[in-house]
Amino acid sequence: MSKVDEELTRRLRGAQRPVDVDELFEALERRRSHRERVRRVQTGALAFAVLASTIAGFVVLRSAFEVDEDTNVGDGFPLPANGEIVFSAGSPDGYVHLYAMQPDGAGRRRITDFGSDDTTPEVSPDGRTIAFVHQLEDATPAIATIPIGGGVVTWLTDGELFVTDGPSWSPDGTRIAFAAHDGESQRIFATNADGSDPRAITGDDVHWAEGPAWSPDGSRIAFAASPISGDEAPSVWDIYTVAPDGGDLTNVTRTSDRSHDESSPTWSPDGERIAFARQGLEESAIVLRRLSDGRETHVTEGSFVEGSPAWSPDGRWIAFDRAGVDRDPGEHPARQDLWLIHPDGTGETRLTTDGAFDPTWQPLPAGSIEPPASATPEPTASPSPGTHGRDIGLAFPVCHVENLTGIDWYGEGTVGAAWTGARVRPDGRCPEEGTGEYVVAADIDGDGVAEPGGMGYFPSCLFCRPYATSDLNADGVLELVVLEEASSTPSYSFYEVSVPTSERSPGIYNLSVAPPGAPEANLSANEPLRLVVGGDEGFSGGVTCEAYPEAPTLVYTWVFGEVDADTDLEVHTTRLQLGEDGIFHVLGSDDSLAPRSDPPTIPTDSACGVDFHPAP
């Protein structure tokens, strides 16, 4: 952990948040007071004391050095190779950014370059994506992801949760655990890797839970928490494990002396040991605990402040951050730098000298990816909600931004993205959600920012987002499907990017319906195609597909009937094909009637590679 108490204070004061700020400050102060008491005791035994208070709540003033006689973890196991080390560091622009370097300290490169503090990175199991805490000014801290080579940020959480610590990937890469305050307590949460279905893992039987770490087999999540209620002081922080469904809570370290704090657990790749930071009256160190018998050994020897241990994918190294080595008189706290050490306490190596913290390792599964080039990516935009909008590369800021990443528009290996968002108002502030002019933009060339030359538009949009891509005219170029889900009948709109040989500026454009359209099916000529899917009182719709992917044809079923009428239902089935002219042409429409007692079945299966499903 690296976020000091003052950093959390800054976040709390600057964020738009639905949490009890006083309660957060009170808990933070209780923890600070506890650590200060321990620090005063330790100063009598050490040559100097360094206070490096963190959200995880440790002051690691290391003591006795005990070498573990075990061999390095990983011997005999088919483990991934060690890729880059990803970490956080301050920058002259006043923000904290993400960086990466080779395990020997060479090839340092910047990953993020936003007006934000980006901390506690964690690389996905496939080595391609970084999850981290993303803190914009005047916005609630959030869990976000970014490609390890840099690019577009994807927000996974919103202002409903005040993220305080994070994140940890499940071994299969489908879930991410993190710590957040939900307005009542700080808990461990887990969400799907796309940000959906966030759920609390811990309950009220532990307090101020933080630092989650998923076990290599996916069966447990380790974290630090206090067994003492926030109404009691001082507290202690132990290491716990819990099943991902919240069951089988286990206090692993069960510290009996309230003078001890433990934080930042990290699993050995074979799952047999946990490394963590411990601070106490008699001992302060990075500690290894063997889970089979509870045996503990100290990796470090007790002269400086250190924490955030991170086990290498091959199990042969532990990276950590250390402060106090170059401490100037009066410096508070001392600057942190990155170090490596073997689990047996040998091979201690310093990697940085100019400030760095929160290390994590990139795993390189066999045959998956090569380490990215050590080149600094171009500055990229961080789409997010904000009071004054965000710059994603257009000529104006946009608000209520949603994006879809990983789009290879031309099928040539260039990874782009798409956005939806509302223009800022003339006074520079964001309109209310669902109001204002909404635009659709695209990054075609993979530079992380939108092409300013062409944009799609929404006449109105409430809870809309880039949803999926598909080649709807079999020309090798993907089209974009945008979803609006403001009701039980979501609607889908369609957009194309300019092809390389087009005379149009690079960008994205609305796809409309050619005359005469199909008025009976609610498809107006010369208007953008908009398909309503699902059912509601009075109407319903569904989409199927023919001849995909060779000659895709959308088949749209639209059913209409007056509410509370006794007349039959109107059923209109319209076949649409996207032509080379960039317009949807009506190939034919079948109109019929159906009795209300026997309404037609509305299709809900995937169509043309897109899951057009009703909203739940």
Side-chain angles (χ1 to χ4, degrees), residues 51 69 84 97 125 238 299 313 366 388 392 402 427 469 545 571 598:
L51 175 64
E69 298 176 354
E84 292 184 300
H97 299 304
D238 292 343
V299 179
H388 301 284
I392 61 172
E402 299 285 346
D427 62 3
T469 57
C545 186
V571 182
D598 187 21

Side-chain angles (χ1 to χ4, degrees), residues 2 97 178 181 225-226 248 250 375 563:
S2 67
H97 299 304
F178 59 95
H181 203 286
S226 171
D248 192 22
T250 303
V563 178

Side-chain angles (χ1 to χ4, degrees), residues 36-45 281:
E36 183 65 20
R37 179 175 64 86
V38 174
R39 185 187 66 84
R40 289 198 300 269
V41 175
Q42 290 173 322
T43 55
L281 294 174

Side-chain angles (χ1 to χ4, degrees), residues 66 252-253 262 276 278 283 287-290 293-298:
E66 180 181 359
V252 174
T253 53
E262 296 164 348
F276 57 91
R278 172 181 285 158
E283 57 177 359
V287 178
L288 302 186
R289 184 181 180 96
R290 191 160 55 197
D293 57 11
R295 181 190 178 194
E296 291 186 354
T297 58
H298 295 178

Side-chain angles (χ1 to χ4, degrees), residues 392-408:
I392 61 172
L394 304 177
F396 52 85
V398 290
C399 310
H400 314 304
V401 178
E402 299 285 346
N403 75 325
L404 180 67
T405 59
I407 306 173
D408 185 1

Side-chain angles (χ1 to χ4, degrees), residues 424-437:
V424 295
R425 300 185 313 192
D427 62 3
R429 297 182 65 82
C430 291
E432 293 296 324
E433 184 85 29
T435 65
E437 182 184 56

